[in-house]
Amino acid sequence: ELIRARKLSPVELAQAHLKRIAELDPQLNAYITATAVPALEQARRAEQEIAKGNYRGPLHGIPFGLKDIYNTRGILTTAGSRVCSGNVPDEDATTVRKLYAAGAVLLGKLATHEFAHGGPSFDLPWPPARNPWHLEHFTGGSSSGSGSAIAAGIAPFALGSDTGGSIRGPASYCGVVGLMPTYGLVSRAGVIPNSFTFDHCGPMTWTVEDCALVLQAIAGHDPADAGSIEAAIPDYRAALSDGIRGMKVGVLRHYWEQDLPAHEDLKRAMEDAISVFRRLGAKVEDCRARPMMDSLDVKVIIAESELFSIHYRELVARPGDFGRDFLGRILPACLFQAADYVAASREHRRIVAEARALYEKHDVLLTAGFGPAPRLDAHRTLNFWQKSNVFTPSNVTAGPALELCNGFSGTGLPLGMQIIGRPFDEAKVLRAGYAYERATTWRARRPQLAPGTQPPPVTPKGNEPDALGVDAAT
């Protein structure tokens, strides 16, 4: 609004963010590549257009960051991997073109776990992003730099991707807002793939309203994406103010109480959130879905098989150039057979069909997110194969899922919850999140960061592979 009214210059705004990046990112590692020169050029162009009365809309002159799997013409796009350390695309991803068309200003490319998969790795060319609330703690993955940058105020918004929670996990651990849109609503063309079946591209922001604004700019059918679906695009921002009185909210309590028991602080935060929804006039009742592990089994067999097929040639030719955590997730996929993939695909369709019954009874579903964030050196690759994930079920059912902050732990780390909706009902999911956010005070808290702070050392020795006596090539 300040930019539209010409009370704030896009150039001043870009300069302020670039200065903040220079001061704070050395302790956060949120950016792989800062794009100061192009950013200032875009900001000057925005300023000139607005001065001439050519205001494009609410993203005009607003800086943003991109998870480093989004192709950017002439700008390094690494996917967080040594394999792509020299990858400079010739074209922009569809979503990047849409943001440029909206007048947004690119600050840079943000840290990601290798190929949007794996966990925080210390054997890659770029160190893992740090959590701004506690620098020795995990940001979540794989949109790690996106979550860190937004929480730290070194990017107003970013684009992430979500295959099994990679937007919502960092949003939860970093206390920001993240939306995984319905499968096919936002184009994936020009985005380095993880899983053709489960990849979603979406916005990460500080507030729900900001999320609606960014979604408005990037949603829409794209023939260049084989998974893109034609659907009507409503006015997401206009729908926010309708309130939630009478909205039917189904609570997937068993997700955080039975399937994957949550931290006590998160359990209390969920009960408090349920009380807020009731106070706002929603009709709240418990409901049940498949056990989370069913969705994990389906997702892992399909997604790891697809990821293995994408990287097969490079894995054979240069295995030593991949990080150890990535290898610990992708290589077991060589054991999956065609029969496993087909069986998982059939079960996938059954889970999607079963979800319709829940959508008929409830407008949205509420369940826990993550939190509080563990230490970076507590990461274990093996957990990927042994533990379920609170975000995976909605990747499998393919509808929208919004993650937002619902409190803080006793140690000051953010806690999160999810609002899940029917496919293509993003407007209702955002409306429920907006009503909750407006009724609480969590957006008033920001991490306190000081320039020149040295991040505490982290030594993840517990994630070493077993001593099998094999080298990387083997």
Side-chain angles (χ1 to χ4, degrees):
E1 184 61 23
L2 291 171
I3 288 174
R4 187 195 66 78
R6 297 179 62 190
K7 295 179 180 178
L8 174 64
S9 158
V11 175
E12 292 172 343
L13 186 60
Q15 287 172 335
H17 278 89
L18 291 168
K19 180 176 183 288
R20 192 168 170 84
I21 291 168
E23 290 176 345
L24 297 179
D25 195 54
Q27 62 190 275
L28 295 168
N29 305 320
Y31 281 86
I32 288 179
T33 304
T35 54
V37 173
L40 291 174
E41 290 174 356
Q42 290 172 336
R44 279 191 286 269
R45 193 178 311 125
E47 184 176 70
Q48 292 165 2
E49 290 171 348
I50 294 165
K52 293 176 181 177
N54 299 323
Y55 180 67
R56 302 190 197 183
L59 297 189
H60 204 172
I62 302 296
F64 73 102
L66 287 168
K67 182 176 183 176
D68 205 16
I69 60 169
Y70 284 79
N71 282 349
T72 41
R73 185 167 62 89
I75 300 170
L76 179 67
T77 302
T78 70
S81 178
R82 191 174 285 103
V83 173
C84 291
S85 58
N87 177 42
V88 178
D90 295 326
E91 294 185 2
D92 293 315
T94 297
T95 42
V96 176
R97 289 201 306 271
K98 287 188 171 189
L99 290 176
Y100 287 164
V105 174
L106 179 64
L107 293 171
K109 310 296 289 294
L110 296 162
T112 173
H113 294 161
E114 190 167 19
F115 288 113
H117 200 43
S121 296
F122 292 81
D123 58 349
L124 299 175
W126 306 274
R130 304 267 189 151
N131 193 315
W133 298 92
H134 283 309
L135 292 174
E136 68 272 31
H137 285 250
F138 188 29
T139 56
S142 59
S143 306
S144 53
S146 302
S148 177
I150 295 162
I154 57 175
F157 77 89
L159 294 190
S161 67
D162 197 311
T163 307
S166 288
I167 285 174
R168 292 162 292 157
S172 193
Y173 279 152
C174 296
V176 305
V177 177
L179 175 70
M180 182 192 74
T182 303
Y183 182 89
L185 179 66
V186 176
S187 174
R188 302 169 302 176
V191 180
I192 294 171
N194 180 322
S195 163
F196 309 114
T197 302
F198 297 117
D199 283 352
H200 303 67
C201 294
M204 298 173 69
T205 61
W206 182 248
T207 68
V208 175
E209 183 178 16
D210 289 348
C211 208
L213 294 174
V214 178
L215 180 64
Q216 199 75 54
I218 62 175
H221 179 248
D222 179 15
D225 177 2
S228 184
I229 298 171
E230 292 193 54
I233 307 298
D235 187 332
Y236 296 114
R237 187 187 199 181
L240 294 177
S241 57
D242 292 343
I244 60 170
R245 184 162 296 280
M247 182 180 284
K248 292 179 284 187
V249 178
V251 179
L252 291 166
R253 182 182 296 274
H254 67 97
Y255 277 13
W256 79 82
E257 288 188 345
Q258 298 169 14
D259 294 13
L260 190 65
H263 190 280
E264 289 302 319
D265 289 347
L266 181 53
K267 288 180 182 178
R268 285 192 289 271
M270 288 305 302
E271 297 305 326
D272 291 344
I274 290 167
S275 298
V276 171
F277 279 101
R278 287 202 170 104
R279 191 170 74 245
L280 293 172
K283 298 177 180 178
V284 183
E285 65 177 22
D286 290 354
C287 62
R288 292 192 71 87
R290 284 275 197 109
M292 282 197 296
M293 203 66 188
D294 287 11
S295 294
L296 186 79
D297 291 341
V298 164
K299 184 263 176 183
V300 165
I301 290 172
I302 295 173
E304 295 307 305
S305 296
E306 291 175 349
L307 189 65
F308 185 77
S309 72
I310 290 166
H311 295 288
Y312 174 74
R313 290 184 183 277
E314 295 289 355
L315 285 166
V316 170
R318 50 194 294 197
D321 287 342
F322 292 87
R324 193 169 60 243
D325 193 82
F326 182 81
L327 292 174
R329 295 184 184 220
I330 193 173
L331 290 183
C334 71
L335 301 176
F336 294 144
Q337 300 182 26
D340 301 317
Y341 187 89
V342 171
S345 297
R346 296 183 70 190
E347 197 65 20
H348 182 197
R349 290 194 291 275
R350 292 190 189 100
I351 293 174
V352 170
E354 290 169 10
R356 294 189 188 119
L358 277 176
Y359 298 143
E360 288 172 4
K361 294 179 182 177
H362 309 286
D363 294 313
V364 297
L365 305 174
L366 177 68
T367 194
F370 280 162
R375 287 179 55 91
L376 278 164
D377 49 15
H379 175 71
R380 303 288 183 272
T381 302
L382 200 58
N383 285 348
F384 173 76
W385 296 99
Q386 294 178 327
K387 291 187 178 181
S388 188
N389 179 324
V390 294
F391 301 118
T392 303
S394 41
N395 285 96
V396 173
T397 53
L402 180 74
E403 178 70 25
L404 66 162
C405 182
N406 68 341
F408 290 82
S409 71
T411 56
L413 286 161
L415 307 170
M417 68 180 188
Q418 289 184 87
I419 301 171
I420 302 165
R422 301 182 183 102
F424 299 102
D425 204 358
E426 276 77 5
K428 195 169 289 177
V429 168
L430 289 164
R431 176 155 56 98
Y434 181 74
Y436 172 83
E437 189 177 82
R438 299 269 289 184
T440 54
T441 60
W442 310 125
R443 293 303 74 194
R445 294 177 66 167
R446 283 274 197 178
Q448 299 302 305
L449 296 164
T453 300
Q454 291 297 314
V458 178
T459 53
K461 293 182 178 177
N463 200 36
E464 295 292 332
D466 290 336
L468 300 176
V470 295
D471 59 17
T474 306

